[in-house]
Amino acid sequence: MRLALDAMGGDHAPQVVVEAALRSARSASFDIALVGQPQVVEPLLAPHRPLPANLAFEPAPDVVAMDGHPGTAVRQHPQSSIGVGIGLVKAGAADAFVSAGNTGAVMAFAVLKLGRLPGVERPALGSVFPTERDRCLVLDAGANADCRASYLLQFALMGAAYMAGVYGVCNPRVGLLNIGEEPTKGNQLALEAHRLLRESGLNFIGNVEGRDVPRGAADVVVTDGFSGNVLIKTAEGVGEAAGNLIRQQVTARWHYKLAAAVLRPAFRAVARRMDYAEYGGAPLLGVPGVVIIGHGRSNARAIERGLAVAAQAVESGVVGTIARSIRGQASAPAASAD
Amino acid sequence: MRLALDAMGGDHAPQVVVEAALRSARSASFDIALVGQPQVVEPLLAPHRPLPANLAFEPAPDVVAMDGHPGTAVRQHPQSSIGVGIGLVKAGAADAFVSAGNTGAVMAFAVLKLGRLPGVERPALGSVFPTERDRCLVLDAGANADCRASYLLQFALMGAAYMAGVYGVCNPRVGLLNIGEEPTKGNQLALEAHRLLRESGLNFIGNVEGRDVPRGAADVVVTDGFSGNVLIKTAEGVGEAAGNLIRQQVTARWHYKLAAAVLRPAFRAVARRMDYAEYGGAPLLGVPGVVIIGHGRSNARAIERGLAVAAQAVESGVVGTIARSIRGQASAPAASAD
């Protein structure tokens, strides 16, 4: 198995990516193709030569800025690390692409170059969200701001396949993000999606509210890309605000500071539990290939987790499962008409 | 000034409401009409008789269940505490209605009995959201699941008037909840609303993301009732999950427990800072009257804050300001066409 890794993607690239590539190559069983600008990446690799046998450098002369426009990136930077990395997947020279770069650009390159799996209406970005129990997948996390109910049904099918394949969740509980528990609650989209999901054959547990998601009420939470993005970013913001408030308070008096020093490992355990870096990045689902997008602020550990998650997705054949699941959905009405 | 208070509303009613009414009556300068079922409320008032001169009991024979359907409530329970309380506002016998009861039922009674201010397309529920700096108003918080851009513009006008009148925020910063900073980001609704807000004459600071809201990036955050509800409930859920995780961790070892005991006042200060109870409930804006809806889990302190906020809204003439603001908006195109 060979994974393409974007050396240029992320706020702390290329340093943390090179670090993650070297560490993963030493400990993991997959091959890594590190894709990036030679003049930037080569000097970072030089002190580590000879490189591990399962780590190779793939030159990409260009780069996409973290805040660049996705459409412009695709048109003007085909030889960027993202363009070249996705190209390796397209050519069969890599099984997956992992990047902590410009999310929109990775999605745009992936959809343009790889296309969509047959029958997929819209590829979706999933976000792995920490819960009190363990984690859930929220999708769409922002790829599709306006959605139809039929998209949400497909998000549910794809998300369930991903959670089963990558995280070993058996018969994942699918919840529909909504603003009330009753099936009659919500906007037009949610009302229609509720009906489709109820008839889907999935383990649909009904509506879940924003409060239920962090509690771990569902393994897969489906919604449109606008609400999904609001959910994820609000959770991030509240976590940060809570952290800042606690820091302010516990440093306000000297005896607090002493007590806080004792509790440091406990605080750290909580922060790690709520940290995106532990969860391995956001999968782009519905394309013929494994594409994992890390948080822009990814550290080396987050990139390593992204590689491990990508390997697990390849290993478990998630793309094939999704393709079969979407095919099954397409043939379901015909079958029931027999 | 006379405020009608729903004795029957909230998970801990009527006990905490009676407690709040007695305490507020003793300390505040307004009159309170406590509305509820005589057989339930009278026994709680009996030990405190004679009541303060500014506290009167108003009997309402019926009650709306916390989980009752709003439409059913309006049709079948007109003599409920909510129906009678809103009736007092309608009749001019009270200046405001405060309830921690069934949110949908309070909104339904208010809109049905009081109607809308002239020109208001949709009344909105505002939610006062704690931020690192102080607080902001998120609206709509769930009254209107499907919205047009013109509703969002009115939400902004009404929310700005409320934050200025009740919280003394001068020239409130209005943000549009969105999934990116650039004006070209978002769903169709957000794109159109962005254009309207830019031309509104309000202090529009552009798009704000879920992460920016807890940080205090805006004083008024406008969005549709679906996304607004997701934002508020997600924040609540993350706060609870963080609290639970911290509790688990700091009680895991005996020396952690000791340190946590030292830090208890600091933890409590953080919890209070992030607690809805401190912020005085959710205003229903766009109706001709002050209506404040408290969280179902309100304690006596939250109810007291709700009364104080209602008094401030009456005192500052928020309803009149909103009426003028909406009127000004209606006449603006005509003026510019001259």
Side-chain angles (χ1 to χ4, degrees):
Chain A
M1 185 193 310
R2 191 164 188 246
L3 310 180
L5 175 61
D6 178 6
M8 314 300 292
D11 300 339
H12 310 300
Q15 289 80 0
V16 299
V17 187
V18 170
E19 191 187 327
L22 285 161
R23 272 202 257 156
S24 289
R26 280 184 204 118
S27 63
S29 59
F30 45 74
D31 295 341
I32 299 172
L34 185 64
V35 190
Q37 285 184 303
Q39 69 274 30
V40 177
V41 180
E42 291 280 15
L44 294 171
L45 288 174
H48 304 281
R49 290 196 182 275
L51 297 179
N54 58 341
L55 174 60
F57 177 64
E58 290 275 349
D62 203 355
V63 69
V64 174
M66 284 303 281
D67 57 355
H69 188 273
T72 313
V74 164
R75 279 192 308 276
Q76 300 183 357
H77 307 289
Q79 290 304 307
S80 60
S81 57
I82 300 174
V84 171
I86 291 285
L88 291 173
V89 175
K90 170 80 179 171
D95 300 289
F97 179 60
V98 176
S99 173
N102 182 320
T103 304
V106 176
M107 292 194 295
F109 270 110
V111 174
L112 185 87
K113 286 204 171 186
L114 304 177
R116 292 179 257 171
L117 287 170
V120 167
E121 295 187 77
R122 291 285 184 285
L125 186 67
S127 178
V128 181
F129 188 92
T131 69
E132 269 184 73
R133 292 186 188 198
D134 31 36
R135 79 202 81 67
C136 70
L137 186 73
V138 176
L139 74 175
D140 181 36
N144 308 282
D146 286 293
C147 284
R148 294 182 188 179
S150 58
Y151 304 175
L152 267 60
L153 170 60
Q154 291 198 338
F155 297 169
L157 292 164
M158 299 194 295
Y162 188 81
M163 288 309 277
V166 173
Y167 293 95
V169 181
C170 175
N171 199 21
R173 296 162 301 152
V174 175
L176 173 67
L177 186 65
N178 209 328
I179 63 172
E181 285 173 18
E182 309 82 0
T184 55
K185 280 287 177 83
N187 55 13
Q188 283 306 316
L189 177 68
L191 290 172
E192 277 179 58
H194 194 281
R195 196 178 48 74
L196 293 179
L197 287 164
R198 218 167 39 211
E199 296 162 1
S200 66
L202 286 162
N203 181 10
F204 178 52
I205 60 164
N207 295 337
V208 294
E209 298 185 65
R211 258 188 78 188
D212 306 324
V213 178
R215 200 185 286 161
D219 302 306
V220 177
V221 174
V222 293
T223 187
D224 65 275
F226 193 91
S227 300
N229 192 277
V230 166
L231 186 151
I232 289 154
K233 288 188 180 157
T234 300
E236 211 177 310
V238 170
E240 285 172 5
N244 290 342
L245 281 172
I246 290 173
R247 215 166 293 125
Q248 271 170 32
Q249 285 292 334
V250 303
T251 54
R253 291 159 196 272
W254 70 265
H255 61 285
Y256 285 2
K257 280 191 209 175
L258 283 180
V262 173
L263 284 176
R264 191 157 299 139
F267 285 142
R268 235 182 248 148
V270 172
R272 200 160 52 232
R273 198 72 192 75
M274 300 186 77
D275 186 11
Y276 66 92
E278 295 297 311
Y279 296 89
L284 179 66
L285 302 177
V287 296
V290 171
V291 178
I292 303 288
I293 306 173
H295 199 292
R297 291 181 296 162
S298 287
N299 55 21
R301 171 147 180 73
I303 309 267
E304 277 184 88
R305 287 283 304 142
L307 286 168
V309 156
Q312 178 60 26
V314 174
E315 183 77 30
S316 64
V318 159
V319 172
T321 313
I322 290 175
R324 277 192 300 280
S325 178
I326 298 287
R327 231 179 7 244
Q329 177 217 0
S331 62
S336 68
D338 280 349
Chain B
M1 185 192 309
R2 192 163 187 245
L3 311 179
L5 175 61
D6 178 6
M8 314 302 291
D11 299 339
H12 309 300
Q15 287 80 2
V16 298
V17 187
V18 169
E19 192 187 326
L22 285 162
R23 272 203 257 157
S24 289
R26 279 185 204 116
S27 62
S29 59
F30 45 75
D31 295 341
I32 299 172
L34 185 65
V35 190
Q37 285 182 300
Q39 70 272 29
V40 178
V41 180
E42 290 281 14
L44 294 172
L45 287 174
H48 304 281
R49 291 197 182 273
L51 297 178
N54 58 341
L55 174 60
F57 177 64
E58 289 274 350
D62 203 353
V63 68
V64 174
M66 285 303 281
D67 56 356
H69 188 273
T72 312
V74 164
R75 278 191 309 276
Q76 299 183 357
H77 307 290
Q79 290 305 306
S80 60
S81 57
I82 300 174
V84 170
I86 292 285
L88 291 173
V89 175
K90 170 79 180 171
D95 299 288
F97 179 59
V98 176
S99 172
N102 182 319
T103 304
V106 176
M107 291 193 298
F109 270 110
V111 174
L112 185 88
K113 286 203 172 188
L114 304 177
R116 293 179 257 170
L117 287 170
V120 168
E121 294 186 77
R122 292 286 184 283
L125 187 66
S127 179
V128 181
F129 188 92
T131 69
E132 269 185 72
R133 293 186 188 198
D134 32 36
R135 80 203 78 69
C136 69
L137 186 73
V138 175
L139 75 174
D140 180 35
N144 308 281
D146 287 293
C147 283
R148 297 182 185 179
S150 58
Y151 303 175
L152 267 59
L153 171 59
Q154 292 198 337
F155 297 168
L157 292 165
M158 299 193 295
Y162 188 81
M163 289 309 277
V166 173
Y167 294 95
V169 181
C170 177
N171 200 20
R173 298 161 301 153
V174 174
L176 173 66
L177 185 64
N178 209 330
I179 63 174
E181 284 173 20
E182 309 83 0
T184 55
K185 281 287 177 84
N187 53 14
Q188 282 307 317
L189 177 68
L191 290 172
E192 277 179 58
H194 195 282
R195 194 177 50 72
L196 293 179
L197 286 164
R198 218 169 37 215
E199 297 163 0
S200 66
L202 286 164
N203 182 11
F204 179 51
I205 60 164
N207 295 338
V208 294
E209 298 185 66
R211 257 187 79 188
D212 307 324
V213 178
R215 200 185 287 161
D219 302 305
V220 177
V221 175
V222 293
T223 186
D224 65 273
F226 193 92
S227 300
N229 192 276
V230 166
L231 186 152
I232 289 154
K233 288 190 180 154
T234 300
E236 211 177 310
V238 170
E240 283 172 3
N244 290 341
L245 281 172
I246 291 174
R247 216 166 292 125
Q248 270 169 33
Q249 284 293 336
V250 302
T251 54
R253 291 161 197 271
W254 69 265
H255 59 286
Y256 285 3
K257 281 191 207 173
L258 284 179
V262 173
L263 284 175
R264 191 155 301 140
F267 285 142
R268 233 180 251 148
V270 173
R272 201 161 48 233
R273 196 74 191 71
M274 299 185 76
D275 185 10
Y276 65 92
E278 295 297 312
Y279 296 89
L284 178 67
L285 302 177
V287 296
V290 171
V291 177
I292 304 289
I293 307 174
H295 199 293
R297 291 182 295 162
S298 287
N299 53 22
R301 171 148 179 74
I303 308 267
E304 277 184 87
R305 288 283 305 142
L307 285 167
V309 156
Q312 179 59 29
V314 173
E315 183 78 32
S316 64
V318 160
V319 172
T321 313
I322 290 176
R324 276 191 301 279
S325 179
I326 297 288
R327 227 175 14 241
Q329 175 217 3
S331 63
S336 68
D338 280 348

